[in-house]
Amino acid sequence: MSFEKFNLHPSIMSGVQALGYVTPTPIQLQSIPPIMQGRDLIGLAQTGTGKTAAFILPVSHRLLPRPRGRVRALVISPTRELAEQTYEFAADVGRHTGLQSIAIYGGVGMDQQTRRLRDGIDIAVACPGRLLDHIWKGTVDLADVEVLVIDEADRMFDMGFLPDIRSILRCLPTERQTLLFSATMPRDVRRLVEEVLRDPVTVQIGRTQPAMTVSHCLYPIRQHLKTALLKSLLRETDTESVLVFTRTKHRAERVAQQLKGAGHRVASLQGDLPQHRRQAALDGFRNGAFKVLVATDIAARGLDVLEISHVINYDMPDGIDAYIHRVGRTGRVGKAGVAFTFITREDAAMVTNLERLLNKPLDRCTLQSFDYSMPAPERDYARSPRRPRERTGAR
Ligand code: AMP
């Protein structure tokens, strides 16, 4: 099936062609028709399935014939990175339709956003906190919103945005179309769905499983050898762009520095960096200036770099969902990807959960040339051979 079948407006089809999309992905196939009919929708889809287009295309179609310059579609995103990416997609399509979009998030000045809003916006893609700042200052008017999209709803709840979402909902017209996308359906999300969606269509793409195109490999390793193993793997593996995940911000910085010292083109991405540094890291990773990005889970959502060949979990993530989102950065839309995960003895329970999720034992890999017998540095070893993990909340 091709995009023609949807009967999207010709200007939107020009956008689709310019993006080089030929065949709709399963989530697009299932979501675009009901969204075009004006139905509310729950999209249960993992990352990398093409869900941005699944809502931006039909929403743009809906906005086309009506008056311009008022916020008529609002997309709420949990992270700045995801908001920026969704905005970029909407702006790409908007170059053909004339629909104006904006990304609204914190960490950058409000004035420029306020000016853009004043100039006339059709589609706003916003993170909850900064959107509320604009609402309270009276610099955004949501009275004309016809379509609300709540993206990555499970993540939104993990990040504690539920009260903000409720405040935003109170500022929107009750007569509207509401679309909610989520990789998983925890209880809080289910409750919100029952409260705000009307007779929704549910579209489910796969289970909450990593993409079939990703192969998974576990590297049992002692904590003090992780960086050395990472360096050896990067040296000996044929990779394109590599995304390395660490548990803490501090560790992301340290590992990035160590790789830099070993001659890699590397950047770090973690929540303490100012917005311009985050953007520079992402831009550099996307355009190939950096081959390796060392990140905390902040980067696990939305990061859209098609050439990520390998995701390396330097530290095992906190939970299954986090694993799915991390490895969802590779193997996107049919491409093959590889996920390496370093595991220590402390990760045994997560390994069991992962194998249960994937319904198969995972390969334990060793790097032949690597010296696994290297002793821990005297100081660390003596002090805390089984040191508790670093705090998990510090992202
Ligand atoms: P998303 O899940 O929206 O983040 O999309 C993941 C990636 O798939 C992005 O790079 C999109 O540009 C790409 N993509 C989305 N839909 C299609 C399609 N129909 N054909 C090819 N690539 C697509």
Side-chain angles (χ1 to χ4, degrees), residues 3 16 19-28 46-55 57 82 85-86 89 151-152 302-306 328-329 332-333:
F3 278 93
V16 169
L19 286 159
Y21 295 179
V22 179
T23 314
T25 65
I27 184 105
Q28 292 160 4
Q46 62 190 90
T47 50
T49 51
K51 75 179 158 56
T52 315
F55 62 84
L57 297 178
L82 184 62
Q85 263 174 220
T86 306
F89 184 84
D151 198 6
E152 308 268 22
L303 183 74
D304 176 18
V305 182
L306 277 181
R329 304 299 97 213
R332 285 159 87 70
V333 190

Side-chain angles (χ1 to χ4, degrees), residues 272-283:
D272 274 353
L273 294 176
Q275 186 58 28
H276 70 277
R277 292 259 323 266
R278 289 197 203 185
Q279 198 59 49
L282 281 174
D283 290 346

